[in-house]
Amino acid sequence: VEDAVTLGPTCGYETIARATEVFTGGIYYYGCTAEDIDVADQQETESRPGRVYAMDPDKCVSATFEEMFTTFGDPGRAAVPQGEIITFCKKTPEKLHQGGYGTFFLFEVKGNRFVAYVRVVSGELRVSVYRFGFDYRWYAGYRHRVVAPQL
């Protein structure tokens, strides 16, 4: 299942660690710190097409981040700047998975990959940031979503 969306534009200076006005439900870190990701891309981006994919329990029972994002080939192809994650959450919150389950975004900082797991909890956005190598298996029956540029 997939849905077309628009990613961007961004000014290139937004970081998830500083986006407390967007993530009013909190910003949490697992295996990393705010300092690890509080580095702006410093590159403006234009609006561009993206896609929201829902995990399909008919195709897999569960998946790690690596398994989710290698479905795009090189996982780096699915990465988006932090500013695009923030803009997406501000402008299209209805495209985020509702009901406490999450939407995943892959991003890179200084050559390191991270995943932002955004959830809507009691009407507020909450983001948990994980290192890409986090080996937890996410259950596909919850139909978590993955956002990536249109490839």
Side-chain angles (χ1 to χ4, degrees), residues 21-49:
E21 76 286 350
V22 175
F23 301 112
T24 56
I27 302 171
Y28 303 90
Y29 302 93
Y30 297 92
C32 61
T33 66
E35 292 78 23
D36 292 329
I37 67 161
D38 195 14
V39 178
D41 303 308
Q42 299 182 354
Q43 222 171 20
E44 278 186 43
T45 64
E46 302 278 328
S47 291
R48 62 187 174 139

Side-chain angles (χ1 to χ4, degrees), residues 69-84:
F69 289 101
T70 55
T71 61
F72 301 100
D74 173 9
R77 295 179 58 207
V80 296
Q82 291 184 68
E84 286 187 358

Side-chain angles (χ1 to χ4, degrees), residues 2 30 59 78 86 91 124 129 146:
E2 60 182 86
Y30 297 92
K59 294 185 178 177
I86 295 163
K91 291 190 174 184
E124 295 184 305
V129 178
V146 175

Side-chain angles (χ1 to χ4, degrees), residues 4-21:
V5 294
T6 300
L7 299 174
T10 69
C11 69
Y13 289 95
E14 307 98 334
T15 68
I16 290 169
R18 293 186 220 161
T20 55
E21 76 286 350

Side-chain angles (χ1 to χ4, degrees), residues 82-147:
Q82 291 184 68
E84 286 187 358
I85 298 168
I86 295 163
T87 299
F88 183 92
C89 292
K90 285 195 294 193
K91 291 190 174 184
T92 55
E94 72 280 0
K95 299 287 185 180
L96 295 167
H97 198 325
Q98 305 295 309
Y101 301 115
T103 305
F104 299 108
F105 301 83
L106 177 65
F107 66 99
E108 297 178 341
V109 176
K110 294 185 175 181
N112 296 304
R113 291 183 176 147
F114 299 90
V115 176
Y117 174 56
V118 179
R119 296 185 302 144
V120 180
V121 179
S122 300
E124 295 184 305
L125 294 184
R126 177 181 297 176
V127 63
S128 298
V129 178
Y130 296 88
R131 288 200 177 271
F132 181 71
F134 184 67
D135 64 359
Y136 182 78
R137 299 195 67 80
W138 300 89
Y139 178 57
Y142 294 142
R143 303 194 61 80
H144 296 291
R145 296 179 181 176
V146 175
V147 178

